[in-house]
Amino acid sequence: MKTGADAQALIAEFAPRARAVVFDVDGTLTGADNAVTPGNITALRRLNEAGLVVLVVTGRMLHAAARTLQEAGVEGYLAACNGAIVVDLSTGDLVRREALPDADTIALIEFAEANDVPCVLFTEDAMYMDRVGEGDPTPWEFMRETNDIAPQVVDLEFVERGDVLKGMITAPRARLDELMPGLLARVPQAERTLDDWTEACSPEADKWDALQLILGRLGIDPADVAGAGDGGNDASWLGRIGLGAAMANGRPEAKAVAAIEIGHHLDDGAARFADALLAGRGGLPAGDLPTGDGPDASSVRRASERES
């Protein structure tokens, strides 16, 4: 994986062939408050105005993910709930919807109960949690901030099984490290999205599956796509496109497959990546592409992380 000047050179070399740019949201486009930053919104708008196809593939709910593209003035395809749902925002057409199998939903609920950790279930238009949880922010607050809707705290046994698109479990990082082998034995497709969150969708739905579907409909070769992400769930696609970039704050799984490392999400690393692509196409002056922690990253932790 290339960094610094080597990464800058690779971006400049790739930029003229790029037809599309793909972004994750949380830990990629967001700041410390879990909101997509103005700098990244501007970057998405610039890419779109330059004629590049701008795509978002995220674990967020559909309405929250759609708002990111809409604020940037982008219409087109979007993959939400980790690829379980794909829509064409320009037409409103639902392209794909893959529910989490009932057996996996039950396994997640039982595993969370047995290990006394919070569980979240996602449907198309609602989130359900078995508890608020602890921390700053609490899991309930984090879900509300990232999905623009308040989760309902209920007995998860009463959530309609066929409506569930995704399930998540959270625990402090060290605790989740211990729990993952047991969870994977029950739900093999579970992915470590953030240090303190893991999630599972249908085995038939992940970000790469969704991205392949979208690119196929657009007639774009993955080799002509650049993209940036940070989570373990981004590892499925970062190594399969023309230029995959892992955020400096990214999970090891993402960095293991990415071609380059770019800046920290607290330093608008994704916006700088977008600007470097445009500079390589003659659209903006070339600038530095810092990698590693941004100037404020040493004192400001990602808001989604809690002490282990």
Side-chain angles (χ1 to χ4, degrees):
M1 183 175 63
K2 297 185 183 298
T3 63
D6 290 336
Q8 186 79 54
L10 195 56
I11 294 171
E13 178 184 344
F14 181 82
R17 71 175 291 179
R19 295 185 60 196
V21 189
V22 186
F23 295 96
D24 167 52
V25 176
D26 291 294
T28 300
L29 297 178
T30 54
D33 60 355
N34 296 316
V36 177
T37 69
N40 281 317
I41 290 294
T42 298
L44 298 185
R45 183 178 296 113
R46 284 176 176 168
L47 290 170
N48 183 57
E49 292 172 349
L52 288 160
V53 175
V54 178
L55 302 170
V56 162
V57 291
T58 177
R60 288 191 175 197
M61 295 179 68
L62 177 59
H63 69 274
R67 192 176 80 170
T68 298
L69 289 178
Q70 290 163 349
E71 287 180 351
V74 176
E75 289 187 345
Y77 289 95
L78 165 69
C81 279
N82 205 40
I85 189 164
V86 177
V87 299
D88 182 349
L89 293 178
S90 66
T91 64
D93 290 343
L94 176 64
V95 178
R96 179 174 82 171
R97 180 190 183 280
E98 289 284 347
L100 183 66
D102 291 354
D104 292 334
T105 301
I106 294 169
L108 286 170
I109 294 171
E110 292 179 347
F111 187 86
E113 289 178 348
N115 291 281
D116 195 26
V117 292
C119 181
V120 190
L121 299 180
F122 288 67
T123 66
E124 285 188 38
D125 54 10
M127 287 182 296
Y128 302 93
M129 298 186 68
D130 60 346
R131 69 191 80 182
V132 171
E134 299 178 351
D136 184 18
T138 66
W140 186 91
E141 290 168 334
F142 178 67
M143 287 290 102
R144 181 189 60 187
E145 290 171 0
T146 55
N147 290 281
D148 299 330
I149 190 173
Q152 301 178 43
V153 180
V154 300
D155 184 341
L156 297 182
E157 296 291 343
F158 294 103
V159 177
E160 190 69 33
R161 294 289 183 265
D163 291 342
V164 177
L165 300 177
K166 183 178 81 165
M168 298 188 76
I169 286 175
T170 184
R173 180 173 51 203
R175 173 72 169 140
L176 198 52
D177 287 343
E178 297 172 354
L179 293 176
M180 283 304 297
L183 178 60
L184 290 170
R186 297 286 305 275
V187 187
Q189 74 271 26
E191 297 177 298
R192 190 75 171 270
T193 51
L194 298 171
D195 286 341
D196 49 4
W197 287 92
T198 184
E199 65 183 62
C201 292
S202 165
E204 307 302 321
D206 66 13
K207 288 187 176 184
W208 172 237
D209 292 329
L211 184 56
Q212 280 185 293
L213 175 60
I214 292 169
L215 294 177
R217 292 172 71 95
L218 293 170
I220 297 177
D221 190 322
D224 296 328
V225 176
D230 76 304
N233 57 342
D234 295 311
S236 67
W237 62 275
L238 282 176
R240 289 170 159 147
I241 61 174
L243 183 64
M247 305 301 293
N249 51 281
R251 288 278 307 167
E253 300 93 336
K255 292 185 177 183
V257 300
I260 62 173
E261 179 180 311
I262 59 174
H264 201 285
H265 78 119
L266 295 178
D267 194 34
D268 270 357
R272 293 171 183 266
F273 174 58
D275 286 351
L277 284 168
L278 290 175
R281 298 167 67 87
L284 283 174
D288 293 335
L289 183 72
T291 60
D293 288 346
D296 57 349
S298 60
S299 59
V300 183
R301 299 188 61 196
R302 186 191 321 179
S304 64
E305 294 177 349
R306 300 192 300 276
E307 293 292 343
S308 59

